[in-house]
Amino acid sequence: MTLSTIARLSAFAIAVIGSVLLIGAGFTPDVQPDADAYWHAAQRLREGMPLYLPAGQDETEIYRYAPWFAFAWLPLTYLSQDAAFVVWRGLLLLAAVATVAPLLRRPSPASITLSVLVFSLLVSNLPAGNVTTLMVGALAIGLRTRAGPFLIGAAASLKVFPILLVAGYLAERRWREAAISVAVAAVLWLHVLVFGLSTYPTTTVGGESFYLGGVSLLAIHPALLVIGAAAFGLVGAWMVLRRSPW
């Protein structure tokens, strides 16, 4: 057995062990479903109540996403909550499969190892039911298609970081696709103004309130956000200017 074969088998074994740990952590009874927040937000829309609630409420009631996603959840509210969660988690499982499918079209030791890790990470999210898995699956399938800019925009309207994928369009000098991505994200997010920011959940740092929630660099310390943003910005700009294939 060659050294490279041993290395590949070792990497795969480590990936399998890591996958077991990831799935085990995701399926512990202590997980609080993020899907609860989506469900309650859609219910509030049906009942004509405020979409956004200020921080300090039960976490299952706190909704931090763009309004369109709550509207997308409306059909599920006509099911029982348990049935809605089964349907939702089924969609997330399909998205997890879709994410790793491109990796397995030309299987290799590296692609198989990566697919095991990625699939396990996404499956570990099923108890929480966070929308991340659906976003990743949609991007994995559609990023290289004509729908790519719209998918980036939709994902960025829910979680900011997918907008970094616009750097790929900039590196390829595809200005129209980059502009569409940013415009879609802005249009989908700015609907929050219709619902008002007065009750939007905020993070308080040093006595100041910011329109961010959950765990973030800003919530830990503002300096970390500045340093992180500067580092990502400089590296990203350097790669765009060099037209890096990455």
Side-chain angles (χ1 to χ4, degrees):
M1 186 178 293
T2 64
L3 185 60
S4 62
T5 301
I6 294 173
R8 289 169 182 164
L9 290 175
S10 299
F12 182 74
I14 293 171
V16 170
I17 294 171
S19 299
V20 172
L21 295 175
L22 283 170
I23 293 175
F27 281 82
T28 56
D30 297 329
V31 174
Q32 191 173 32
D34 294 317
D36 278 345
Y38 312 156
W39 168 270
H40 290 132
Q43 286 282 10
R44 290 197 295 273
L45 285 178
R46 281 184 58 184
E47 297 168 6
M49 297 172 62
L51 175 60
Y52 298 107
L53 299 176
Q57 308 287 327
D58 187 322
E59 191 64 25
T60 62
E61 297 280 352
I62 299 298
Y63 181 78
R64 297 183 173 93
Y65 298 91
W68 72 266
F69 184 57
F71 280 98
W73 256 78
L74 279 175
L76 291 177
T77 63
Y78 291 93
L79 303 173
S80 69
Q81 189 170 1
D82 288 341
F85 282 8
V86 169
V87 173
W88 175 243
R89 286 172 176 140
L91 289 174
L92 296 182
L93 181 59
L94 289 175
V97 173
T99 299
V100 299
L103 292 171
L104 298 176
R105 285 174 186 161
R106 296 179 180 177
S108 67
S111 68
I112 293 173
T113 300
L114 181 60
S115 65
V116 168
L117 279 171
V118 172
F119 184 74
S120 301
L121 180 61
L122 296 178
V123 166
S124 70
N125 171 62
L126 290 183
N130 192 278
V131 68
T132 297
T133 302
L134 189 61
M135 289 167 42
V136 173
L139 289 169
I141 293 175
L143 188 59
R144 294 183 179 275
T145 69
R146 291 182 179 180
F150 299 95
L151 292 173
I152 291 175
S157 73
L158 296 176
K159 297 177 182 282
V160 176
F161 283 106
I163 202 66
L164 293 175
L165 293 172
V166 170
Y169 291 142
L170 296 178
E172 296 172 357
R173 304 305 187 256
R174 296 168 64 183
W175 312 117
R176 186 180 62 140
E177 286 85 352
I180 290 174
S181 299
V182 174
V184 169
V187 168
L188 290 178
W189 172 249
L190 287 177
H191 279 112
V192 72
L193 298 177
V194 177
F195 292 85
L197 290 173
S198 60
T199 57
Y200 188 88
T202 60
T203 295
T204 301
V205 180
E208 296 292 332
S209 293
F210 299 88
Y211 290 108
L212 293 171
V215 178
S216 67
L217 291 177
L218 179 62
I220 298 171
H221 197 284
L224 289 177
L225 178 65
V226 174
I227 294 170
F232 275 110
L234 289 173
V235 172
W238 178 76
M239 295 177 73
V240 166
L241 291 173
R242 289 178 57 86
R243 296 192 179 190
S244 168
W246 292 102

